[in-house]
Amino acid sequence: MKIVVIGGTGLIGSKLVTKLREHGHEAIAASPNSGVNSVTGEGLAEVLKGASVVVDVSNAPAWEDAAVMSFFETSTRNLLNHEAAAGVKHHVALSVVGTDRLSESGYFRAKIVQEKLIKNETVPYTIVQATQFFEFLKQLADISFDGKKVRLPDALFQPMAADDVASAVGKVAVGQPLNGTVEIGGPETFRIEELVRRRLAPLNDSREVIADPNALYSGAKLDERTLVPGKDARLGETHFADWLKSSASQPPTAKLPSAAVATATKQS
């Protein structure tokens, strides 16, 4: 099966391509670096020839509200139009648990538009909404630091390892389109400040981490369970304590300008 991964050189995309190839699929890592640009449309017609599935794990390269909206709207329209022309049978998009509850955020308003576009077009689809990634807890602390303290929303979340994200998306990609949404998350629920504190400790990062009821998440106010998936979510196997002991816990080199970014990867 030929599967094209848009954003296929990012954190999730690169892992996904590897896993799909290990299972005998022809997985193509498509990104601007490989001559495929979903915003301009460059290279899409060529790379989609003979493709059965397109998986979109790309993310916006700029983070102002208007830029994020433009990216997701333009990119998604281009992908769906080219997929319809190429006869693609399944469009899979990586999104974020809680997206529909975070419309105060410009980033999540753009993700809402992305999801609506997918649902309203003719290409069969599955939307995979994922929770936060373990890999970006350090960056979440960085963008929540006010110069004195790391102030995080007083809420729960259920983050997961990027490797588990890629595995879950891969299973969806090789399955039948659901024309609906699947939620994925980690095996454990934590308070946000608790887990960020645990992440910083082995990095010898002594910043004080607190739960602040006024702290925002990517510009949006959280309720207790805004970021927690529902009871039917598909859960990853990697526990945080095990991940923390592994080489995967080394901080990624890319810096993320928004907490929302940690749920996906840049189109690189």
Side-chain angles (χ1 to χ4, degrees):
M1 184 187 298
K2 180 178 178 180
I3 302 173
V4 176
V5 180
I6 305 297
T9 56
L11 174 64
I12 302 302
S14 58
K15 291 176 179 292
L16 175 59
V17 167
T18 297
K19 290 176 183 294
L20 291 171
R21 288 175 178 170
E22 287 173 348
H23 285 84
H25 299 289
E26 180 189 356
I28 308 298
S31 71
N33 291 340
S34 67
V36 179
N37 190 314
S38 59
V39 174
T40 65
E42 177 190 2
L44 281 180
E46 292 78 10
V47 78
L48 294 183
K49 287 179 181 176
S52 299
V53 181
V54 171
V55 183
D56 183 8
V57 294
S58 65
N59 214 342
W63 304 105
E64 298 79 17
D65 286 1
V68 173
M69 181 66 76
S70 177
F71 173 83
F72 281 117
E73 194 165 17
T74 304
S75 174
T76 303
R77 287 188 190 279
N78 280 340
L79 285 172
L80 293 170
N81 288 338
H82 280 85
E83 288 169 26
V88 170
K89 300 294 192 293
H90 191 185
H91 178 91
V92 179
L94 181 60
S95 191
V96 187
V97 164
T99 288
D100 57 340
R101 303 186 289 271
L102 291 164
S103 60
E104 290 179 329
S105 162
Y107 179 88
F108 286 103
R109 285 196 296 274
K111 294 298 287 184
I112 289 170
V113 167
Q114 178 192 28
E115 291 190 10
K116 285 182 177 178
L117 287 170
I118 293 167
K119 293 172 183 177
N120 290 335
E121 290 298 328
T122 58
V123 179
Y125 71 91
T126 306
I127 296 169
V128 182
Q129 291 188 338
T131 59
Q132 180 66 275
F133 303 165
F134 293 153
E135 281 76 2
F136 294 115
L137 293 173
K138 168 66 164 59
Q139 280 86 335
L140 181 55
D142 292 343
I143 62 175
S144 303
F145 184 55
D146 65 2
K148 295 181 179 179
K149 298 180 180 181
V150 176
R151 298 181 180 275
L152 295 161
D154 187 12
L156 298 169
F157 71 160
Q158 199 168 320
M160 63 192 301
D163 199 60
D164 287 348
V165 177
S167 294
V169 173
K171 289 176 183 176
V172 169
V174 300
Q176 293 299 311
L178 299 180
N179 291 321
T181 300
V182 172
E183 288 187 326
I184 61 175
E188 306 161 282
T189 302
F190 303 92
R191 300 211 73 81
I192 297 175
E193 85 283 356
E194 169 202 353
L195 204 64
V196 170
R197 195 177 295 123
R198 287 177 59 185
R199 176 67 189 108
L200 295 184
L203 300 175
N204 296 316
D205 188 328
S206 62
R207 288 178 292 177
E208 183 180 359
V209 180
I210 64 170
D212 183 344
N214 296 313
L216 302 178
Y217 183 83
S218 193
K221 179 80 170 177
L222 296 184
D223 292 329
E224 177 84 349
R225 301 186 66 83
T226 301
L227 302 180
V228 178
K231 60 182 177 61
D232 295 326
R234 303 178 184 182
L235 303 183
E237 298 179 354
T238 306
H239 288 259
F240 180 71
D242 296 328
W243 176 86
L244 203 57
K245 296 174 185 176
S246 72
S247 59
S249 68
Q250 296 304 309
T253 55
K255 293 296 182 182
L256 303 181
S258 163
V261 183
T263 57
T265 58
K266 280 190 177 183
Q267 178 169 301
S268 56

